[in-house]
Amino acid sequence: MRNKYKSEMETLTPRREALEQLYTSIEEETGMNRSKRFSGRAAAILVCAVLMVTAAAAAVPTVREALLGQLGVFAPYAQTIEGVSCTDQGLEVRVLSALSDNLNARVYLSVQDREADRLDQCLTLKGRLTTGAELAQPDDEAPSLSVGGVGTSQFRLLSYDADTKTALFSARIYYGDSAQPIPNARLSILGMTTQEGQLYGSVSCSTVTAQTLESLPAEGRVIFRPSDLNNRAEMDALIPSRPVALVPEQTPMPIAGTGDMWISSMGFAGDGFFHIRLGLAEGVEPEERGFFSDLFLLGATDERLYTYQEILVDGGMDILFPLIHPEDLDLVKRCEARFYGPYDRPGMRLEGSWAVDFQMDYHPFQVLDWTGELAGWQVRQLTLSPLSVTMHSNASGGLDNVTLYAVKADGSTVAAQPGTGRYTNLEALRQGAGWDAFNTWEFQEPVDPAEITSLTVLGKTIPVNRQPSFAEKEDTTA
């Protein structure tokens, strides 16, 4: 396995002709002395970075900037995907980049309206990103997976630029320990819509005063009344029999990231309770029993405090917090109001067929030549890639909130945070005795496995049989 890893990493070194061309280009543009050339490994990373910028330059400038901003320090390790796009009904879908190893794959794509102005910051996609040996046909109603294939139907909107009418999305495929990365991939989009909003917004309550704001009878439809309290009758008793709502636009303030909703009024109403009135743009309506409003006491625990009810009123939504009175003002001012959930809004809904195939590279992992005990559990396999670490063990819990560190030869460390994993009780599933665990960690910045000497987790130092760097190999050969 070490030899296989070594040979695969060596293939990342650019050809000598490519290095000569790169050196010449750099020297012409920067005047860098030829004696300060990079090692093979450093040059390989630089070539990847140059290719990433070159390919991104073909995209809309703002999308290029957004993509590089999302990749951050991982940009040199990302794969550039060129010439993979399709257009239907004037909307172009383009695959831009991928960042992948044996654990995860993140694919970045853009959607641009080339004929009209139909997109906005609430654009959502219906479709699937799939990897597998045998992929479904582009016009299938629901793209299927091949045996051993994996995929996702979740597309995350990262940014939208109104000037260029271009949205940037990402999609993540999780391979875990039950699937292997397969080079061929398909992106198949069957529809787009801007009619489905999703809000994750918050505002500070620090500006609330003891002043009683104007209110009027709340004539509208109750769309949510939670059963947070153990005694439902007790909660119902707290709700006024004749509810009121705040008069709109008394303390207006925006909610960052959306123009569909805003704080219209916030404070104590004539009924003596704390209220928040949201303003809703024309045609916007929060989803019944699915849109939530909470108060959180800011601090170490970020504690959720109080229950409420939501009433749709003319042009907005009034939120009642029946446990909060004017004497609780100091507490309220230390709170943050949060609003989250789906809602309907005016917009377009379009069906079509945007399907492209492409090849996706991935950074291979190195299986470490180590097994042993960790915090009383037995570890049977550890892997290391530039992006992540995985561990198979018989742990019954406790590793999913522990930071792991990769230690370099110079003593510096790179932190890796816990990622997606699993704990399986084999006895409960009648598959054996004890537990089977698969834990993962994802690095905050990429690492060169050849530079890592050990991993540290829960105070345990795990040796990494370091491969010679390209520079060391070049020196030996010379």
Side-chain angles (χ1 to χ4, degrees), residues 1 56 164 188 195 272 276 459:
M1 181 60 72
T164 60
S188 181
Q195 295 179 354
I276 297 177

Side-chain angles (χ1 to χ4, degrees), residues 126-253:
K126 173 188 176 184
R128 193 165 182 85
L129 172 66
T130 308
T131 66
E134 296 179 1
L135 299 169
Q137 296 301 312
D139 55 355
D140 281 358
E141 179 65 22
S144 60
L145 297 177
S146 66
V147 176
V150 291
T152 181
S153 58
Q154 301 298 314
F155 298 92
R156 180 188 173 198
L157 178 65
L158 302 176
S159 67
Y160 177 72
D161 181 67
D163 292 335
T164 60
K165 296 174 284 189
T166 307
L168 176 66
F169 285 87
S170 69
R172 177 191 180 194
I173 292 177
Y174 174 69
Y175 298 118
D177 62 336
S178 59
Q180 291 295 322
I182 300 175
N184 54 308
R186 167 166 292 157
L187 173 66
S188 181
I189 303 299
L190 303 176
M192 306 180 186
T193 182
T194 59
Q195 295 179 354
E196 300 172 2
Q198 188 79 29
L199 180 64
Y200 296 93
S202 63
V203 296
S204 170
C205 297
S206 60
T207 59
V208 174
T209 69
Q211 176 187 357
T212 300
L213 301 182
E214 293 184 57
S215 56
L216 44 73
E219 298 178 358
R221 175 166 54 94
V222 175
I223 66 168
F224 193 81
R225 179 180 290 182
S227 55
D228 291 23
L229 301 183
N230 294 329
N231 188 332
R232 182 59 186 266
E234 179 184 351
M235 189 194 77
D236 287 342
L238 292 172
I239 306 298
S241 57
R242 295 182 179 180
V244 301
L246 291 175
V247 170
E249 302 305 309
Q250 297 183 80
T251 60
M253 69 176 72

Side-chain angles (χ1 to χ4, degrees), residues 44-82:
I45 295 176
L46 181 57
V47 167
C48 290
V50 171
L51 289 175
M52 171 63 69
V53 173
T54 301
V60 178
T62 52
V63 174
R64 174 191 65 209
E65 295 164 3
L67 173 59
L68 293 177
Q70 288 292 326
L71 289 170
V73 294
F74 291 93
Y77 284 77
Q79 172 196 0
T80 298
I81 300 175
E82 298 184 78

Side-chain angles (χ1 to χ4, degrees), residues 7 14 46 83-84 112 140 183 190 214 260 270 381 383 432 437:
S7 64
L46 181 57
V84 178
Q112 183 178 21
D140 281 358
L190 303 176
E214 293 184 57
D260 290 340
Q381 186 185 81
T383 72

